[in-house]
């Protein structure tokens, strides 16, 4: 089995996937209320271990992580943001991989999507955000393998879309973790 992670300082998604590509566990850890770097790492590590330990023995063959952002993207990243994400990615990756005594593998987001045949069209062109395109692509991949995930939702309590049901916070992080894990299996199996 592999454990795949989509690491962020606000939400960290993770998935446990068996060697046949069956999703065993998929969850996210909400880190937004934690202010301390160390507390964020400890909370994410502990929540991942708790979720995984309840469902399987310690037979993780690899911890697979989406590579951190390597360059600036207009309006989305600053040097401070990239630095913070890289430090958090490194700390949490090490904490989890060392706990499971498993090798750590980093995979680039573009190669991961390509490996699963998930094509992304600019939102300006198609009107669908990238994260939703990835989720739809994953849903298609899962359907082909006779798997279906009922994604968590929430009902908005205020604002112009009050009462509307939307994808819950953290689901897209779960999606990214699953995509990374399935791409790893497709690459190395």
């Amino acid at each position: 089995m592999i454990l795949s992670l989509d690491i962020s300082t606000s939400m960290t998604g993770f998935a446990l996937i068996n060697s046949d590509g069956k999703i065993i566990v998929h969850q996210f850890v909400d880190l937004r209320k934690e202010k301390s770097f160390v507390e964020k790492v400890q909370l994410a590590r502990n929540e991942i271990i708790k979720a995984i330990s309840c469902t399987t023995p310690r037979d993780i063959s690899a911890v697979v992580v989406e590579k951190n952002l390597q360059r600036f993207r207009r309006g989305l990243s600053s040097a401070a943001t990239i630095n913070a994400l890289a430090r958090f990615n490194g700390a949490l990756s090490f904490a989890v991989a060392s706990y499971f005594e498993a090798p750590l593998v980093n995979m680039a987001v573009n190669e991961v999507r390509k490996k699963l045949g998930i094509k992304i069209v600019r939102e300006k062109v198609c009107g669908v955000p990238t994260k939703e395109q990835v989720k739809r692509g994953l849903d298609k991949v899962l359907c082909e393998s006779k798997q279906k995930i009922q994604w968590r939702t929430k009902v908005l309590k205020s604002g112009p879309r009050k009462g509307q049901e939307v994808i819950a916070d953290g689901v897209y992080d779960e999606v990214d973790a699953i995509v990374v894990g399935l791409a790893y299996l497709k690459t190395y199996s």
Side-chain angles (χ1 to χ4, degrees), residues 64-85:
V64 187
V65 181
E66 185 177 281
K67 278 185 185 173
N68 22 311
L69 193 60
Q70 299 292 318
R71 63 174 193 237
F72 297 105
R73 290 190 329 197
R74 187 178 198 159
L76 296 176
S77 58
S78 66
T81 300
I82 290 174
N83 183 333
L85 286 171

Side-chain angles (χ1 to χ4, degrees), residues 10 30-35 40:
S10 58
D30 187 345
L31 302 168
R32 294 176 292 190
K33 291 182 182 173
E34 297 297 328
K35 300 300 176 210
K40 284 180 184 264

